[in-house]
Amino acid sequence: MSQAKVPAWVNIALIPFLNIMLAFVVSGLIILAIGEDPIEAAGYLIYGAFGYDEGVGYTLYYATNLIFTGLAVSVAFKGGLFNIGGEGQAYIGGLGVGLVCLALDHTMPFYIIAPLAILGAAAFGAAWAYVPAYLQARRGSHIVITTIMFNFIASSLMVYLIVNWLKEDGRMAPNSRTFEENAWMPYLHELFSPLGIDIGDSPLNVAFIIALVCCVFVWGLIWHTRWGYQLRTLGTNPTAAKYAGIDTAKVTIWAMLISGGLAGFVGINEIMGVNHSLLLNFTAGYGFAGIAVALMGRNHPIGIILAAILFGALYQGGSELAFEIPTITPEIVIVIQGLVILFSGALEHMFKDRIEGFFIRRAVA
Amino acid sequence: MTNKTTPYAIELQDISKRFGAVQANKDICLQVPAGSIHGIIGENGAGKSTLMSIIYGFYEADTGHIEVDGKRVDIRSSQDAINAGIGMVHQHFMLVENFSVLENVILGAEGGALLKGGVDAARIELQRLAKEYSLDIDVDAIVEELPVGLQQRVEILKALYRGARILILDEPTGVLTPQEADHLFRILKALKDQGVTVLLITHKLREIMASTDNVSVMRQGQMVAHRETAKTDKEELAELMVGKKVRLTVDKGEAKPSDVFLSARNLSQFDSQGVKRLKNVSLELRAGEILGIAGVSGNGQSELLNVLSGIEPMGEGEIHIAGQVITANAPKNAAQMRELKMAHVPEDRHKMGLVTGFEAYEAAVLGYHNSDTYNGKVLMDRKVMVDECNERMAAWDVRPPNPHLKTANFSGGNQQKIVIAREVEQNPDILLIGQPTRGVDIGAIENIHEQIVKLRDSGKAVLLVSVELDEIMALSDRIIVMFDGAVVGELDAKDADERTLGLMMANAYSEEKEEVPA
Amino acid sequence: MFETLILMLDATMRVSTPLIFAALAGLYSERAGIVDIGLEGKILGSAFAAAAGAAVFGSAWIGLFFGIMASVSLAMVHGFACITHRGDHIVSGVAINTIVAGLTVTLSMNWFGMGGQTPTLSGDSRFLSVTLPFADALANVPVIGLIYSELLSGHNILVYLAFAMVPVTYWVIYKTRFGLRLRAVGENPHAVDTAGISVAFIRYRALIVCGILCGLAGAYLSTAHNAGFLKDMSAGKGYMALAALIFGKWRPVPVLLACLLFGFLDAVAIRMQGVVIPGIGEVPVQAIEVLPYVLTVLLLAGFIGKAIGPKAIGRPYVKERA
């Protein structure tokens, strides 16, 4: 009841803001420590991310991946599950996309390939999440450990499949052949240019729209369906879930299937949207970044979109920054990401307890 | 009895402790003569455990102080308590289950950075203690493989090994068989003979009468009486324990019980350790009656509610309801029980009845969230839920009447009204209701009681579980008393008085009848 | 055939060394109740700090010192989050891994400017192989010569230290007061608290030991096994050590065996590259590579034995009346 005295904006805005600022301050100190000016760096970063059309395009392209993995992590989180296997699920999801494209691009038109590829991404990603989910729900093995293991298994499986089966004959590079253009997800700049709108060339493609649709889907699913109701009950109060007669094992498995499917959509953006071939390591850590996005976005689709754009901006601005100040590498973005996880995740109680205490005391006084 | 010149083994002066709004202990004074067994008795929530935690350094008292052997001691941690010669046997054992007895005993008193020396010394010392107090045990046995009675013995040995001269036992017989309990009391006598002072916390009158020298009674955070055990009796203690509370009156007419709506036969349930928590309980619940289940909390009532409502699977037995038979092999979960028109207001609304992070209108459909009323084809119909919540809030006088307020932000009474309204408004045939007025303010209590009676009068069957005797007596038409997981008595509400019920709840009633030849 | 086997076992020892250090590190942490998926980050952080220190000061030992300091600092961050602020152990571990992955490259680029590598180490700035006494003399004795001179002799000091750490850990865990309390705190912190011992202090100390061992693992990678730091050079060894820890059921000797098994599989995988087995054909390297992870999943699922970890693992200790 004491929480009644803490205004809502404190939890929704103030505490996340403080956590982010702290992450930025520490990052600034690191930049200072390597002898550069953090303010100047921030300037380049912001310009690179938002200063020109292509920059914005790249920012949103990165954000697309992060929305998918952020949503994936948060759907599981809502059910009290920590899906740390987004990386592997995204990887296998990409396999699904690649197989559909490779199988059909010679024979089928885009409007047949696209839905099948989307289905493939979801099905493969979900399948990869199914085993850890089943083992957690029915055999009690810890989902965190199994999903980590499945990341590695996914990685080896992909190397094997691409190198041994899918590699283009006679080439050294471990890539599949490039898909025909009818299996390419259209770039947004191509869609916009006939309308006379120039948004600058960037890898931003229709997958971004799909990501936004997924946000709406997840929002509706979690807050407006009975299944979402059951998921949230399970995630916040498992005893109440039992009291309500909810089949917790079933909800757990479905939560992970949806989570894995969402992560699999990274394949749509990367494989079908940008690379147009199946290749190694295209997930590039997006699965893990999704954890930061979900934590920062407070597991809400709107928060996740904002957090994904922020991180997307960091990825894109980070490249700009590295170009302008060569002593700062784009990896500084990974550091910031880690710091966000640390402050808004692992150290969430550090500020929260004190700030809430402050407001409670003030309300009492 | 006590030599006035020798100081008390332990003396508490004006100990008070407050948790938020709850005054757990208030101005507690207690004097325990050295080498005596001193009982502390009281109902659940009377503040016994808090007081013992203060003595053992788990909590610090807000005010007051503690003297040991006439010297004031400052107990801020368990280590301080151990240094002052105080040992404690917790209700839930503080043992590392996969350690050997020896390892458990020396933990925290290893006697050096390497274990070898300490272990050898402990082995010898344990042999001595075992002989002196007849506490035989295989010191190399792994604790989790020992029966509960022996595990408790390890706890006692732990305390003695640390040189405890004052031993606190918190509800020590709760987990023991009667034989094990008898053995424990022989051990306590032996300890006393060796000059150890024993503080025995219990709610069982029989144990107090059988083993203590003196007894202190706690009620609502206060010490209300001290007695020499030989000069008091169960009746007096039971009365002191329960107190003369403001009599709750509920305006209700004669019950008109009719058909049996629910019948349970030989229900048993086992916990994860395989201990039988519910023992062959049989009962019948009729339409148009309120059946009260009385008992000190922790005597199987929660298990009974969980099994009847389908939250936990039953171990053995069968439930007959609405023409169906439910057994361990043909179980039904909580959702399926609701379909048989059984509603359930759980004992603990925070743990079970509500999701405190939900808005009120969401919490108001928990368990019924799959019902067509609240669902469209795909999405849940928020408007219907909110409208209905608004109506119910008005009908049940929930304040503030805001369906969008987080459940956590309502007062206890209003939270309870949300839960009861949810269950009652489903128009069930059977209502299971646990601790309906726990943490509810006086005004709301009356309202809740009226609703329960109204439900009965409309021909529904109500099973009421409460640790409040007043409530049981005021509402029930028939009363069943549970003790240690089993039904120990059943009586018509008209024949029930506090004394009888109190004795039954302490499982002392039948003995007394034997004592008085018919 | 025998010689091939010896060579493979020799490789096994080299590959297993960082796994042994890291798995033992995890053992201290997890037996004390702290889940540590940050082993990976600590190894990587130490690998960088050790290589940087060795490059700048020209001494592998000074490098090792820096490696250990870096790793212990990260362990303390983990402790601060998990013990002091009751944070989620997994989230904290992920944070540490992520921060280190970025920071090592950032600092390395900034300090050395070699595309994220440190300068190549040589001479005193690396741990070089040690020839055991009489190794040369015995080299030509059949069987024994191979075993002694090839397999046992000729490793660097950290390899021997890693193997020595197993009995040491066994002794610390089972024979000392610290070990007793550490095991107790991972099983039932309430029992430790009521015995008058500080739960937090024991857990912090366990994390310091964990940090030191991860420091050794990292330093081994960059200053002994390799001659310098490479981006992401820990390459999942921390996670594999975690798998070995689970596979060894949190006990020192079985953990050693798990590390050796995983190391051996690695050595086999390298050997089997392109080798065609009659009747089966070419066994894909990846199939062998994933075996440690597959085996661990099977174990966790209860299909091969049962992995029961410390009971209180992953839960923050909140003092409350029982």
Side-chain angles (χ1 to χ4, degrees):
Chain A
M1 252 167 292
S2 54
Q3 282 149 339
K5 288 159 190 137
V6 182
W9 59 269
V10 171
N11 267 313
I12 295 173
L14 179 65
I15 292 172
F17 177 75
L18 280 175
N19 286 326
I20 297 298
M21 285 325 288
L22 198 56
F24 283 150
V25 167
V26 175
S27 319
L29 290 176
I30 292 170
I31 292 175
L32 211 56
I34 58 180
E36 299 297 340
D37 179 358
I39 306 290
E40 191 195 345
Y44 286 127
L45 215 146
I46 293 167
Y47 175 77
F50 300 112
Y52 52 98
D53 288 347
E54 287 84 356
V56 176
Y58 270 95
T59 295
L60 294 180
Y61 148 68
Y62 290 121
T64 306
N65 288 334
L66 296 169
I67 290 173
F68 287 134
T69 55
L71 288 176
V73 172
S74 72
V75 167
F77 256 148
K78 277 286 167 201
L81 302 158
F82 199 153
N83 178 14
I84 204 167
E87 194 75 9
Q89 291 143 19
Y91 211 173
I92 299 295
L95 174 67
V97 175
L99 291 180
V100 169
C101 292
L102 289 171
L104 304 178
D105 63 346
H106 289 305
T107 50
M108 295 286 170
F110 173 76
Y111 58 85
I112 301 272
I113 296 178
L116 287 177
I118 290 171
L119 219 59
F124 274 59
W128 205 248
Y130 175 75
V131 181
Y134 175 84
L135 294 178
Q136 156 101 19
R138 305 282 180 199
R139 301 196 66 105
S141 52
H142 204 296
I143 199 146
V144 170
I145 306 290
T146 41
T147 48
I148 290 176
M149 299 297 136
F150 266 70
N151 285 341
F152 286 101
I153 299 173
S155 171
S156 289
L157 179 66
M158 290 296 281
V159 172
Y160 171 71
L161 289 177
I162 291 177
V163 171
N164 293 47
W165 298 98
L166 299 168
K167 198 177 67 174
E168 211 170 345
D169 288 335
R171 292 258 192 136
M172 279 309 288
N175 298 343
S176 76
R177 67 175 171 78
T178 303
F179 313 145
E180 300 297 324
E181 280 202 37
N182 56 332
W184 292 15
M185 212 27 108
Y187 289 111
L188 284 191
H189 62 84
E190 286 173 356
L191 290 184
F192 277 90
S193 63
L195 306 172
I197 306 168
D198 180 19
I199 55 168
D201 285 7
S202 76
L204 184 64
N205 62 74
V206 173
F208 179 67
I209 312 286
I210 298 175
L212 296 181
V213 171
C214 285
C215 287
V216 177
F217 167 76
V218 167
W219 174 76
L221 180 73
I222 293 193
W223 278 275
H224 290 276
T225 67
R226 61 195 101 174
W227 185 83
Y229 183 93
Q230 298 185 352
L231 180 77
R232 287 181 292 132
T233 306
L234 174 64
T236 36
N237 189 343
T239 330
K242 264 176 107 178
Y243 161 77
I246 293 168
D247 184 341
T248 54
K250 210 166 125 189
V251 174
T252 297
I253 290 176
W254 272 102
M256 282 300 290
L257 288 177
I258 292 169
S259 176
L262 286 165
F265 285 148
V266 169
I268 298 287
N269 192 34
E270 286 294 324
I271 299 300
M272 218 183 157
V274 180
N275 290 298
H276 307 132
S277 71
L278 199 51
L279 70 170
L280 293 179
N281 300 323
F282 65 85
T283 48
Y286 291 116
F288 292 109
I291 297 166
V293 170
L295 282 171
M296 205 180 125
R298 319 273 300 169
N299 295 313
H300 191 284
I302 293 178
I304 286 170
I305 293 176
L306 294 175
I309 290 175
L310 177 78
F311 278 113
L314 287 174
Y315 277 62
Q316 164 56 15
S319 324
E320 181 86 12
L321 175 63
F323 182 72
E324 295 289 342
I325 312 178
T327 47
I328 303 180
T329 55
E331 275 81 4
I332 189 76
V333 173
I334 310 286
V335 179
I336 299 175
Q337 197 176 297
L339 289 168
V340 168
I341 301 178
L342 184 69
F343 290 118
S344 45
L347 286 170
E348 63 171 343
H349 297 296
M350 188 166 70
F351 277 146
K352 202 167 173 249
D353 296 355
R354 292 202 173 87
I355 292 174
E356 286 186 349
F358 168 77
F359 279 99
I360 290 165
R361 274 195 304 279
R362 214 178 57 157
V364 171
Chain B
M1 180 200 71
T2 321
N3 184 347
K4 289 281 191 299
T5 55
T6 44
Y8 294 107
I10 188 161
E11 180 167 3
L12 308 183
Q13 293 183 348
D14 298 320
I15 299 279
S16 294
K17 177 75 187 174
R18 177 183 276 281
F19 294 104
V22 182
Q23 182 85 50
N25 284 163
K26 185 157 185 279
D27 304 327
I28 303 268
C29 293
L30 179 69
Q31 294 163 331
V32 182
S36 69
I37 299 181
H38 193 109
I40 294 182
I41 193 160
E43 286 187 307
N44 275 85
K48 297 170 300 196
S49 288
T50 304
L51 186 64
M52 293 310 122
S53 295
I54 290 171
I55 299 177
Y56 195 62
F58 241 58
Y59 297 138
E60 265 185 82
D62 299 334
T63 61
H65 68 270
I66 301 170
E67 285 180 12
V68 171
D69 293 332
K71 281 193 292 283
R72 191 165 165 164
V73 289
D74 200 12
I75 299 178
R76 291 168 183 278
S77 69
S78 300
Q79 189 63 56
D80 292 338
I82 293 166
N83 292 342
I86 300 169
M88 181 144 175
V89 175
H90 294 83
Q91 189 174 1
H92 304 280
F93 303 148
M94 293 295 174
L95 296 171
V96 182
E97 293 194 329
N98 60 0
F99 275 20
S100 71
V101 171
L102 205 52
E103 285 176 315
N104 266 293
V105 168
I106 64 171
L107 182 66
E110 297 87 348
L114 301 185
L115 292 181
K116 184 86 175 72
V119 166
D120 294 346
R123 198 179 284 277
I124 294 165
E125 173 67 5
L126 281 180
Q127 268 164 7
R128 189 187 70 77
L129 289 171
K131 201 173 280 168
E132 200 169 322
Y133 302 108
S134 52
L135 287 166
D136 288 327
I137 198 157
D138 172 9
V139 296
D140 294 312
I142 301 298
V143 163
E144 63 193 348
E145 288 163 8
L146 294 175
V148 193
L150 286 180
Q151 291 189 11
Q152 189 173 57
R153 204 173 284 186
V154 179
E155 283 278 51
I156 297 172
L157 282 167
K158 247 170 86 178
L160 294 176
Y161 183 74
R162 286 161 171 72
R165 303 300 295 158
I166 300 161
L167 189 65
I168 305 169
L169 296 107
D170 189 3
E171 300 284 358
T173 58
V175 291
L176 302 184
T177 64
Q179 292 74 21
E180 283 174 328
D182 287 342
H183 194 116
L184 172 70
F185 289 117
R186 283 201 295 280
I187 292 169
L188 295 185
K189 286 257 159 57
L191 288 170
K192 176 190 157 183
D193 293 341
Q194 299 289 330
V196 175
T197 308
V198 176
L199 268 172
L200 176 69
I201 308 354
T202 181
H203 64 262
K204 295 177 187 167
L205 284 169
R206 186 180 77 92
E207 294 171 1
I208 293 287
M209 299 311 294
S211 64
T212 63
D213 300 309
N214 299 293
V215 54
S216 300
V217 186
M218 283 190 81
R219 191 170 71 222
Q220 290 170 339
Q222 285 174 291
M223 244 351 146
V224 291
H226 302 283
R227 294 283 185 274
E228 213 173 300
T229 311
K231 293 184 183 160
T232 185
D233 53 32
K234 285 177 195 158
E235 285 73 18
E236 189 193 19
L237 290 177
E239 204 165 288
L240 284 166
M241 237 168 97
V242 177
K244 286 270 174 263
K245 286 176 198 159
V246 187
R247 204 47 212 231
L248 286 167
T249 47
V250 180
D251 190 16
K252 66 173 170 106
E254 192 75 8
K256 299 179 196 71
S258 54
D259 304 347
V260 176
F261 270 6
L262 173 94
S263 122
R265 291 177 200 165
N266 280 315
L267 277 191
S268 294
Q269 204 225 358
F270 304 85
D271 67 11
S272 55
Q273 262 99 52
V275 178
K276 203 169 184 177
R277 292 293 174 195
L278 198 60
K279 297 171 180 166
N280 309 317
V281 171
S282 298
L283 55 84
E284 278 189 347
L285 182 61
R286 290 172 182 277
E289 73 164 351
I290 299 173
L291 173 61
I293 309 277
V296 175
S297 89
N299 277 293
Q301 304 96 311
S302 308
E303 287 80 0
L304 178 65
L305 280 180
N306 283 348
V307 168
L308 288 178
S309 61
I311 294 171
E312 297 286 346
M314 71 176 81
E316 293 161 358
E318 48 191 55
I319 299 171
H320 295 248
I321 177 176
Q324 305 216 21
V325 182
I326 300 163
T327 62
N329 293 326
K332 287 200 187 296
N333 71 16
Q336 291 164 323
M337 293 307 282
R338 281 193 182 85
E339 283 166 18
L340 299 176
K341 297 197 70 93
M342 172 191 277
H344 176 201
V345 176
E347 292 181 289
D348 187 332
R349 58 180 166 270
H350 291 282
K351 259 198 196 135
M352 266 192 191
L354 293 168
V355 179
T356 46
F358 279 7
E359 291 176 19
Y361 80 91
E362 289 181 298
V365 301
L366 183 68
Y368 305 97
H369 52 270
N370 279 327
S371 142
D372 291 340
T373 322
Y374 306 122
N375 284 282
K377 276 211 174 67
V378 177
L379 301 183
M380 293 187 91
D381 193 332
R382 185 175 288 204
K383 189 171 174 316
V384 168
M385 299 194 311
V386 172
D387 288 350
E388 189 193 78
C389 189
N390 265 321
E391 279 167 33
R392 285 192 191 162
M393 283 179 147
W396 289 73
D397 190 27
V398 175
R399 284 178 231 179
N402 175 4
H404 293 289
L405 191 64
K406 285 251 168 74
T407 336
N409 296 341
F410 287 91
S411 73
N414 285 301
Q415 288 176 339
Q416 189 70 340
K417 282 185 199 167
I418 293 174
V419 176
I420 297 180
R422 177 183 73 206
E423 300 300 322
V424 169
E425 298 275 352
Q426 293 296 327
N427 192 26
D429 286 340
I430 299 166
L431 176 69
L432 310 179
I433 183 164
Q435 321 301 348
T437 55
R438 179 180 280 173
V440 170
D441 44 292
I442 303 284
I445 291 180
E446 209 173 310
N447 180 281
I448 289 171
H449 284 172
E450 277 168 18
Q451 296 288 348
I452 295 174
V453 173
K454 218 167 86 187
L455 204 65
R456 176 201 76 167
D457 291 343
S458 64
K460 312 295 186 187
V462 178
L463 183 92
L464 165 75
V465 169
S466 175
V467 292
E468 301 293 336
L469 263 189
D470 282 356
E471 188 163 68
I472 291 281
M473 288 171 42
L475 287 175
S476 311
D477 301 311
R478 199 154 55 89
I479 300 171
I480 280 178
V481 183
M482 286 187 75
F483 179 82
D484 197 22
V487 172
V488 292
E490 178 175 343
L491 61 171
D492 200 293
K494 287 194 284 290
D495 306 331
D497 58 48
E498 265 167 18
R499 187 180 147 274
T500 317
L501 285 175
L503 287 171
M504 280 181 162
M505 282 160 64
N507 200 24
Y509 187 67
S510 53
E511 284 166 46
E512 190 179 71
K513 274 198 295 199
E514 282 157 28
E515 282 163 22
V516 187
Chain C
M1 192 63 205
F2 180 63
E3 200 178 336
T4 317
L5 183 69
I6 291 293
L7 285 176
M8 275 172 62
L9 290 177
D10 189 51
T12 301
M13 278 180 76
R14 290 173 208 279
V15 181
S16 304
T17 297
L19 291 181
I20 296 169
F21 278 130
L24 292 178
L27 191 144
Y28 282 94
S29 169
E30 301 217 348
R31 286 301 287 257
I34 308 279
V35 181
D36 197 356
I37 67 163
L39 294 174
E40 179 78 7
K42 287 197 274 283
I43 298 173
L44 188 62
S46 159
F48 171 68
V56 172
F57 294 98
S59 157
W61 292 100
I62 293 178
L64 177 62
F65 173 76
F66 279 104
I68 289 176
M69 289 316 288
S71 171
V72 170
S73 312
L74 292 169
M76 291 300 95
V77 171
H78 194 49
F80 183 68
C82 301
I83 304 169
T84 306
H85 286 291
R86 309 185 318 280
D88 188 294
H89 298 191
I90 307 287
V91 175
S92 171
V94 172
I96 286 168
N97 290 345
T98 315
I99 292 171
V100 174
L103 198 56
T104 47
V105 179
T106 306
L107 294 180
S108 167
M109 277 294 282
N110 192 261
W111 291 349
F112 304 105
M114 297 168 60
Q117 300 184 14
T118 58
T120 307
L121 304 171
S122 59
D124 283 347
S125 53
R126 259 189 94 185
F127 286 103
L128 297 174
S129 48
V130 181
T131 308
L132 294 182
F134 314 115
D136 293 333
L138 288 169
N140 292 324
V141 180
V143 184
I144 294 176
L146 263 182
I147 292 178
Y148 187 75
S149 307
E150 272 300 323
L151 180 58
L152 297 180
S153 176
H155 295 283
N156 64 70
I157 184 90
L158 294 182
V159 176
Y160 299 115
L161 184 61
F163 281 85
M165 282 317 292
V166 177
V168 169
T169 298
Y170 181 88
W171 180 78
V172 168
I173 294 286
Y174 293 107
K175 303 289 177 192
T176 68
R177 175 174 63 191
F178 172 63
L180 182 79
R181 293 179 174 188
L182 182 131
R183 281 182 287 137
V185 92
E187 288 292 330
N188 186 356
H190 297 280
V192 175
D193 195 2
T194 52
I197 311 164
S198 161
V199 172
F201 185 46
I202 296 180
R203 288 188 164 170
Y204 266 111
R205 280 189 292 167
L207 282 181
I208 290 174
V209 179
C210 167
I212 292 172
L213 288 168
C214 278
L216 287 162
Y220 172 81
L221 284 182
S222 66
T223 64
H225 197 59
N226 298 291
F229 174 81
L230 296 164
K231 184 186 173 189
D232 291 331
M233 78 181 307
S234 51
K237 293 211 164 46
Y239 294 111
M240 190 180 275
L242 199 64
L245 177 63
I246 296 165
F247 207 70
K249 301 182 182 180
W250 294 269
R251 295 199 304 262
V253 175
V255 164
L256 168 72
L257 296 176
C259 289
L260 288 173
L261 172 67
F262 292 178
F264 181 71
L265 288 171
D266 199 28
V268 171
I270 294 165
R271 278 256 148 201
M272 296 293 277
Q273 212 129 29
V275 176
V276 177
I277 296 176
I280 302 173
E282 191 178 328
V283 177
V285 182
Q286 292 82 18
I288 304 169
E289 275 174 6
V290 296
L291 267 181
Y293 306 113
V294 173
L295 287 173
T296 305
V297 170
L298 289 176
L299 179 79
L300 279 171
F303 291 116
I304 38 172
K306 194 94 190 112
I308 300 169
K311 269 202 207 88
I313 198 164
R315 274 182 278 143
Y317 176 62
V318 183
K319 194 168 178 151
E320 61 187 342
R321 186 175 55 206

